[in-house]
Amino acid sequence: MNGQTSHQQSKDGRHDDDAALTEFLASLMDYTPTIPDELVEHYLAKSGFQCPDIRLTRLVAVATQKFIADVATDALQQCKARQSAVVKDKRDKQQKDKRLILTMEDLSRALREYGVNVKHQEYFADSPSAGLDSVSRDE
Amino acid sequence: MRRSLRQDDKPIEEPSPLPESEFSFTLTRVAVAQICQSMGFSGAQNSALEALTDVATRYLQAIAKLAAASANSDGRTQSNLPDIIVALEDLASVQGFPGFSSTRSVSLYSSPVIKNLMKFVNYTDEIPFARPLPPRKKNFQGAKGKLLKYKGDWDNSRRYYLDGDGWRHVPRWLPAVPVVERKENGAEMKQEVKWGCLDGRGEREDENNINGQQTYPYIHECLQSKLENKKIFYKSVHKKITLDLAIRKNR
């Protein structure tokens, strides 16, 4: 008896999920993802993904857009956290607020949580002795 | 390349054609830059933007690979919705999402990954791509597989079998079918299937003349008997055969 009721509930729950999913896929046709369909199809075909259904292509495009948006949000938070730590006076902070720039440092910190390790060179030097003290250079 | 889509009045210069990988990378970079701008960034370092674009392309390809692998393990060649959900869950498992521990016990359709996506679509405004892309050059069939516009007798029937790049009766996973010869051959082959009187016609022109000449009068009879019904279709075939006869006689 108890098993039957739980089975009934799970069936109803699944029906709701199916209905929500069908509605979602239909709404995807109205929502244009930022990445164009042809571009997404090109990358999908490159990796062996075959599907004639265009809604699934849009689903993949939206998933990628969400991923990039999440990464960008995290990088933005890193950028703002760094700015709030370096507050000199009110005027400086307002000027900096207008120009939020995506830097490699913020990006690598944001991507590290997603399992992507991005490291880049801090600087490039002309010669091995560039930037050293004059004492060590003489030696 | 015609640039009729440009809206400013600068003089149009022909850009050098990029290799294919760079072209798609440039397009993806534009899309990623738009997403960053919608999040609130007013600018980006060049290297950072390129790194993020690389991550985006790899993510896209990772979804495709995982979905294709999941479909192949079921013995299918075409991926469907559960395949994509499995792929997305695998990729989201790095960071984790609520409900991950009990994911596989319930239906895939109730996965939190999909629910997050639904929330994202509901709450985020659309960001259309910056520039309209040029239309594709191939025969684009459309989402529902509509036939191309009716153009002529055998044109339409031949196009029915064209499915974008491949043929409808040939599975897509096979390598490309070698290009058949011109439409005269196609019409003749069709006639072969219909009438069965073209046994010797499939032979090449450099073979024996005797064989070719023997079959010609028979074909001519077939054509004459049914000509009133299908004049347009067979007229072209008839023309080609008489033309061939004339060529052979001149030799």
Side-chain angles (χ1 to χ4, degrees):
Chain A
M1 189 74 149
N2 279 338
Q4 278 184 355
T5 48
S6 65
H7 182 64
Q8 273 294 324
Q9 282 170 1
S10 70
K11 240 188 182 175
D12 288 339
R14 204 180 307 156
H15 189 66
D16 287 339
D17 289 331
D18 282 346
L21 206 57
T22 325
E23 198 188 304
F24 172 58
L25 286 179
S27 76
L28 265 186
M29 292 315 291
D30 292 331
Y31 184 91
T32 313
T34 307
I35 312 176
D37 281 340
E38 292 91 351
L39 194 57
V40 174
E41 277 180 16
H42 163 72
Y43 279 116
L44 293 179
K46 212 170 165 186
S47 311
F49 180 99
Q50 277 187 27
C51 190
D53 199 353
I54 204 176
R55 299 173 302 173
L56 295 183
T57 317
R58 291 226 166 160
L59 181 67
V60 175
V62 166
T64 311
Q65 185 177 347
K66 178 177 181 299
F67 176 73
I68 297 295
D70 288 343
V71 171
T73 311
D74 287 348
L76 193 70
Q77 284 172 358
Q78 296 278 344
C79 194
K80 283 187 176 167
R82 183 170 319 128
Q83 279 182 8
S84 66
V86 190
V87 170
K88 288 186 181 173
D89 52 297
K90 210 174 176 182
R91 197 184 41 154
D92 269 355
K93 188 183 175 189
Q94 277 178 356
Q95 280 183 357
K96 271 187 189 169
D97 268 343
K98 286 179 186 171
R99 307 273 311 158
L100 289 167
I101 308 248
L102 175 68
T103 58
M104 273 305 276
E105 217 178 309
D106 297 331
L107 186 64
S108 71
R109 276 205 202 129
L111 277 176
R112 199 177 302 155
E113 291 182 15
Y114 288 88
V116 181
N117 293 322
V118 176
K119 286 193 177 169
H120 83 299
Q121 299 287 359
E122 296 286 333
Y123 56 87
F124 292 95
D126 287 333
S127 66
S129 62
L132 287 174
D133 298 347
S134 56
V135 176
S136 43
R137 209 182 300 150
D138 286 340
E139 288 174 11
Chain B
M1 189 172 77
R2 306 198 98 234
R3 299 281 220 112
S4 54
L5 303 167
R6 281 182 84 103
Q7 282 143 12
D8 45 8
D9 292 331
K10 291 184 201 160
I12 298 170
E13 292 169 347
E14 285 286 338
S16 59
L18 287 172
E20 201 285 315
S21 58
E22 282 184 31
F23 180 66
S24 49
F25 186 81
T26 312
L27 290 179
T28 320
R29 191 168 64 175
V30 172
V32 165
Q34 280 182 275
I35 298 175
C36 290
Q37 189 187 31
S38 77
M39 286 292 130
F41 279 111
S42 53
Q45 279 181 354
N46 209 7
S47 50
L49 188 61
E50 292 200 352
L52 191 54
T53 314
D54 194 32
V55 167
T57 56
R58 283 177 199 269
Y59 188 79
L60 204 51
Q61 288 176 341
I63 298 180
K65 265 191 220 172
L66 288 170
S70 152
N72 289 342
S73 71
D74 267 343
R76 286 178 279 116
T77 52
Q78 288 193 346
S79 314
N80 53 11
L81 185 58
D83 290 330
I84 297 181
I85 301 180
V86 160
L88 287 174
E89 278 188 0
D90 278 348
L91 285 172
S93 65
V94 177
Q95 233 203 353
F97 49 88
F100 191 29
S101 58
S102 63
T103 283
R104 303 293 165 141
S105 57
V106 202
S107 145
L108 263 183
Y109 294 145
S110 63
S111 154
V113 168
I114 285 292
K115 295 209 169 111
N116 286 341
L117 265 185
M118 283 199 242
K119 273 188 222 165
F120 178 77
V121 169
N122 282 335
Y123 291 129
T124 316
D125 299 326
E126 275 187 42
I127 317 166
F129 194 63
R131 288 279 177 92
L133 293 177
R136 295 158 105 182
K137 287 178 192 163
K138 310 187 249 187
N139 284 337
F140 186 55
Q141 218 185 4
K144 306 232 170 135
K146 290 184 289 206
L147 284 177
L148 294 176
K149 213 169 155 192
Y150 182 86
K151 278 205 173 161
D153 261 338
W154 81 269
D155 259 344
N156 197 27
S157 48
R158 183 181 164 121
R159 265 184 211 181
Y160 176 72
Y161 284 101
L162 277 178
D163 187 16
D165 258 356
W167 302 80
R168 231 174 239 263
H169 55 288
V170 177
R172 273 181 178 274
W173 46 266
L174 282 179
V177 179
V179 176
V180 277
E181 292 175 16
R182 288 288 170 173
K183 67 177 177 185
E184 294 88 20
N185 262 357
E188 283 160 0
M189 296 302 284
K190 280 190 99 157
Q191 196 179 18
E192 190 174 45
V193 166
K194 279 198 169 186
W195 297 98
C197 61
L198 290 174
D199 302 311
R201 196 57 196 96
E203 293 169 355
R204 306 207 180 251
E205 289 180 351
D206 46 13
E207 282 193 14
N208 266 339
N209 276 344
I210 303 169
N211 272 341
Q213 276 175 0
Q214 273 178 353
T215 52
Y216 282 146
Y218 186 46
I219 295 167
H220 203 67
E221 274 176 5
C222 294
L223 289 176
Q224 289 291 351
S225 62
K226 299 279 177 170
L227 203 54
E228 54 263 22
N229 283 337
K230 304 203 175 178
K231 269 185 187 170
I232 304 169
F233 177 69
Y234 289 124
K235 221 178 199 174
S236 60
V237 176
H238 185 66
K239 238 188 233 174
K240 163 95 167 62
I241 293 173
T242 48
L243 201 66
D244 280 348
L245 275 173
I247 293 171
R248 282 174 198 274
K249 278 180 189 168
N250 282 342
R251 284 187 201 161

